[in-house]
Amino acid sequence: MLNQDKLKSVIQTLIEKEITQFTLKGKGAVNNAYYIETIDGGKYIVKQEREDKEFQPQNDLLIEAKVAEQLGKLNITVPIPKVVFKLENPKMYGYEYVEGELLRGVWKSLSEDEKIDICRILGKFHAEIGKKFTKEMSETIGIQIDMSAGLHPEVSVDYDRLSVDANVPESFRTLVKEAMVIFEKSQDKLVFQFLHNDSHHENIIIKDKAISGIIDFGNAEYGETAKEFSRYIRDFPDHFQYIISSYEEESDNILSRERLVSNALISGFIDIVEDYWKGGERREKAEKAILKYRELLDRSH
């Protein structure tokens, strides 16, 4: 692993500009992210794979960079950060910095109309990448192709364990079992396409109350759309329907609301249960989440 001074020197050579600011912006479970400014006013993010990463990501950094490069060529409505370099050893890539704040941080400050506008743009984004980023492109770049209709194996393990755990409230277990029945019965309502597969309020950047960029394609794959919308249902339970309806209008695909909501509950159930076990405000949050999923499942029938 290069020390920070050596790393800075390598990056400076790659971007061919003098670096005036070099800061470790974040240390994730898999990658380090550095914020860089150059003498000409350029701003960049460099993602470097950690030698001591905590798990193996779905896509390595070079595949992630190739996905971003391909999306940049497809005239997508939402800005995709421009990749400026890739390096095999040490494994890293750099892209132009996206000005703005995380959607998570600004959501509550937005008006209802602004929230709806952002949701509709997100729906259009997912429709566009589904149409323009083909299965053949996915195979060429090397991202995972998953044509299965089932849950992620880890989600299945969590479901099997928690749905019979006496320490989980019976009302929680009853609802997630109902969701599983709905999910399994909806396997005739599948839509497959290219997925960002990690599109949530911490990977969406907002500037001047509009989307200035979507980042982090480390989990991108070609698979079933229920995965794509799971976090939106979790993060925006009162607004995700605007994302779905916009997606359907732009893609000409019809999605099963039952499948989307049941998948979101099952996939996020472990987080709800762990919040409940922590007690206090986290327990109240978990109880509210279960009530909201009850409402959404009833409404989706």
Side-chain angles (χ1 to χ4, degrees), residues 167 169 172 272-279 282-283 286-287:
N167 294 311
F172 287 32
I272 294 173
V273 170
E274 288 179 348
D275 276 344
Y276 179 84
W277 284 338
K278 288 173 182 175
R282 301 293 286 274
R283 175 168 291 191
E287 291 169 339

Side-chain angles (χ1 to χ4, degrees), residues 127-140:
E128 286 182 333
I129 63 175
K131 285 181 175 180
K132 296 181 178 182
F133 203 116
T134 66
K135 185 178 181 182
E136 290 70 27
M137 289 177 185
S138 301
E139 291 170 335
T140 299

Side-chain angles (χ1 to χ4, degrees), residues 16-285:
E16 300 179 333
K17 298 176 183 179
E18 182 183 344
I19 293 174
T20 56
Q21 182 175 340
F22 186 83
T23 307
L24 178 62
K25 186 177 178 65
K27 185 175 181 179
V30 177
N31 306 305
N32 291 333
Y34 295 89
Y35 172 75
I36 292 169
E37 292 185 7
T38 55
I39 196 166
D40 63 347
K43 299 178 181 180
Y44 306 91
I45 293 292
V46 173
K47 295 180 71 172
Q48 179 194 25
E49 185 176 272
R50 287 174 48 187
E51 287 186 351
D52 58 343
K53 54 183 178 290
E54 297 172 22
F55 62 88
Q56 187 63 40
Q58 182 151 295
N59 301 315
D60 72 22
L61 280 181
L62 297 187
I63 291 178
E64 179 180 342
K66 290 177 183 178
V67 169
E69 286 179 318
Q70 184 63 56
L71 285 168
K73 300 174 183 177
L74 297 179
N75 193 30
I76 303 297
T77 297
V78 172
I80 306 298
K82 181 181 179 182
V83 176
V84 293
F85 76 82
K86 303 188 294 289
L87 187 66
E88 177 66 38
N89 188 24
K91 193 165 289 185
M92 61 180 174
Y93 81 98
Y95 62 86
E96 293 181 349
Y97 179 72
V98 180
E99 298 282 356
E101 300 178 68
L102 300 181
L103 179 55
R104 179 178 186 173
V106 303
W107 180 256
K108 291 182 179 180
S109 69
L110 299 172
S111 70
E112 184 66 10
D113 286 344
E114 289 163 349
K115 290 176 179 178
I116 292 171
D117 285 345
I118 286 172
C119 286
R120 292 193 63 79
I121 292 296
L122 286 171
K124 184 176 182 180
F125 164 73
H126 291 291
E128 286 182 333
I129 63 175
K131 285 181 175 180
K132 296 181 178 182
F133 203 116
T134 66
K135 185 178 181 182
E136 290 70 27
M137 289 177 185
S138 301
E139 291 170 335
T140 299
I141 289 174
I143 67 171
Q144 178 172 310
I145 309 295
D146 182 3
M147 302 303 289
S148 69
L151 298 166
H152 189 283
E154 291 180 7
V155 173
S156 293
V157 169
D158 289 337
Y159 170 82
D160 290 342
R161 174 172 57 89
L162 296 175
S163 63
V164 296
D165 189 333
N167 294 311
V168 178
E170 184 177 355
S171 60
F172 287 32
R173 289 184 280 127
T174 298
L175 186 62
V176 79
K177 289 175 184 177
E178 179 182 331
M180 180 62 82
V181 171
I182 293 170
F183 181 77
E184 291 178 340
K185 285 184 176 179
S186 63
Q187 294 192 12
D188 60 337
K189 301 174 181 179
L190 308 180
V191 175
F192 293 91
Q193 66 166 63
F194 172 80
L195 310 174
H196 179 290
N197 207 29
D198 197 22
S199 186
H200 57 75
H201 57 9
E202 293 183 346
N203 285 332
I204 300 164
I205 313 299
I206 304 295
K207 183 181 180 183
D208 299 328
K209 301 181 179 180
I211 299 174
S212 58
I214 290 182
I215 60 173
D216 196 352
F217 295 90
N219 287 321
E221 69 171 52
Y222 192 96
E224 200 227 323
T225 50
K227 299 177 185 179
E228 191 78 296
F229 299 106
S230 177
R231 276 298 300 268
Y232 290 136
I233 296 171
R234 173 179 167 181
D235 296 339
F236 311 122
D238 296 317
H239 293 85
F240 77 91
Q241 68 269 23
Y242 297 108
I243 302 175
I244 304 305
S245 61
S246 176
Y247 168 85
E248 290 178 328
E249 291 167 12
E250 294 289 336
S251 68
D252 296 324
N253 294 324
I254 302 300
L255 302 180
S256 165
R257 302 300 193 275
E258 289 181 319
R259 184 168 182 81
L260 298 183
V261 173
S262 60
N263 176 71
L265 170 55
I266 298 165
S267 299
F269 192 61
I270 187 170
D271 295 318
I272 294 173
V273 170
E274 288 179 348
D275 276 344
Y276 179 84
W277 284 338
K278 288 173 182 175
E281 291 182 0
R282 301 293 286 274
R283 175 168 291 191
E284 291 179 11
K285 177 185 173 184

